[in-house]
Amino acid sequence: QRGVQTSIDHLENKNAKYFEDLLPASQHFRLFPEFRDTCVFLDIETTGLETTSTITTIALYDGTSVRYYVQGKNIDAFLEDIRQYQVIVTYNGKTFDLPFIRNHFNCQLPHAHIDLRYILKSLGFKGGLKKCERAMGIDREELDGVDGYFAILLWEEYQKTKNPKALDTLLAYNIEDVINLETLMVKAYNLKVKDTCFSGSHTMPEPPKAVNPVTPDRQIIRELKSAYYQW
């Protein structure tokens, strides 16, 4: 009974971290409906996968608004903005996004963390984010085929030419990740509760897909694919 009251107290105080620490990663989906109003979907792009690599862009989406940050421009504003939320939702953020953020900003983020990689894996969906999206019927349209390696090429192109269209395409790709994370989160949550006694009362409606505020440049995509990809 004492444990129940303690949980109620933490729930009323919006302390998501308390519940994250009690649950295995595959069960962190349970946090989402109670803390949705303080969740933010996060994704980063980097210059590579090595420890010497740096963050190039960061995208945030809270279900209403999109924010994005660019190395050399406004990336330092990220730390102030992320404080507005209690829960961070990522795909593979436990081993990629959050370690890079901790290293770049030399800080520990105090947020609870839902990593969709582990939840989707427990549902039988394996592979990268794009593979999981396709398996769940999410279409990236003109950004289809653009991946993490391509994001590195876009940043290198921007650094070399200062072509704003290269940066816009990188940001559009980064933002598409966080927009789609919301849809994946809801789909995964519904699949988790489908076979429980709560399926009738706890299933969540899928949100309409948000409009990406940045438009990718098709010509840049074609040129880089032609130069770097073997077909």
Side-chain angles (χ1 to χ4, degrees):
Q1 186 175 357
R2 183 181 300 174
V4 171
Q5 186 58 52
T6 299
S7 294
I8 291 173
D9 292 342
H10 283 289
L11 188 60
E12 289 178 349
N13 292 325
K14 290 292 185 180
N15 182 10
K17 187 68 177 173
Y18 171 81
F19 298 99
E20 180 205 23
D21 293 340
L22 293 176
L23 295 167
S26 64
Q27 296 296 311
H28 286 165
F29 72 92
R30 298 175 183 274
L31 297 173
F32 185 60
E34 298 295 341
F35 296 95
R36 187 172 186 175
D37 61 345
T38 188
C39 279
V40 67
F41 303 92
L42 177 150
D43 185 75
I44 70 169
E45 303 302 331
T46 67
T47 57
L49 302 177
E50 301 80 11
T51 55
T52 54
S53 301
T54 58
I55 295 173
T56 56
T57 64
I58 305 174
L60 296 177
Y61 176 58
D62 61 10
T64 301
S65 60
V66 170
R67 297 180 182 182
Y68 51 87
Y69 311 85
V70 180
Q71 181 62 259
K73 293 181 179 289
N74 67 334
I75 201 164
D76 290 340
F78 165 79
L79 277 186
E80 181 66 27
D81 292 344
I82 198 68
R83 290 193 182 100
Q84 299 176 25
Y85 306 99
Q86 291 287 328
V87 181
I88 293 171
V89 183
T90 69
Y91 185 92
N92 198 35
K94 185 175 182 180
T95 59
F96 185 74
D97 303 73
L98 297 194
F100 263 93
I101 288 171
R102 286 194 293 267
N103 183 62
H104 180 94
F105 294 100
N106 191 28
C107 71
Q108 293 287 336
L109 296 179
H111 306 68
H113 178 208
I114 301 174
D115 192 329
L116 275 169
R117 174 187 172 188
Y118 301 97
I119 297 168
L120 290 169
K121 184 178 179 180
S122 72
L123 289 165
F125 297 95
K126 299 179 182 180
L129 174 61
K130 314 306 179 295
K131 185 176 180 180
C132 291
E133 287 178 357
R134 288 192 294 271
M136 287 195 162
I138 297 174
D139 182 8
R140 286 193 166 232
E141 300 176 350
E142 57 193 337
L143 285 166
D144 185 45
V146 178
D147 56 17
Y149 173 64
F150 203 92
I152 295 171
L153 298 179
L154 286 166
W155 179 256
E156 291 176 350
E157 179 72 10
Y158 172 65
Q159 292 294 98
K160 181 172 61 177
T161 66
K162 300 304 178 184
N163 185 345
K165 293 181 179 179
L167 179 59
D168 283 349
T169 304
L170 172 60
L171 287 169
Y173 168 75
N174 193 186
I175 292 166
E176 191 74 10
D177 282 354
V178 294
I179 287 173
N180 289 345
L181 280 176
E182 181 186 37
T183 303
L184 278 178
M185 180 72 251
V186 174
K187 284 178 177 288
Y189 177 84
N190 286 340
L191 286 172
K192 279 289 191 178
V193 302
K194 180 181 178 182
D195 296 324
T196 72
C197 60
F198 302 108
S199 59
S201 57
H202 284 60
T203 299
M204 305 175 73
E206 289 187 20
K209 184 172 180 177
V211 175
N212 195 323
V214 182
T215 303
D217 185 83
R218 295 180 180 181
Q219 182 63 29
I220 288 282
I221 294 174
R222 284 195 296 268
E223 289 175 358
L224 290 179
K225 281 186 175 180
S226 176
Y228 292 97
Y229 283 61
Q230 298 295 323
W231 302 97

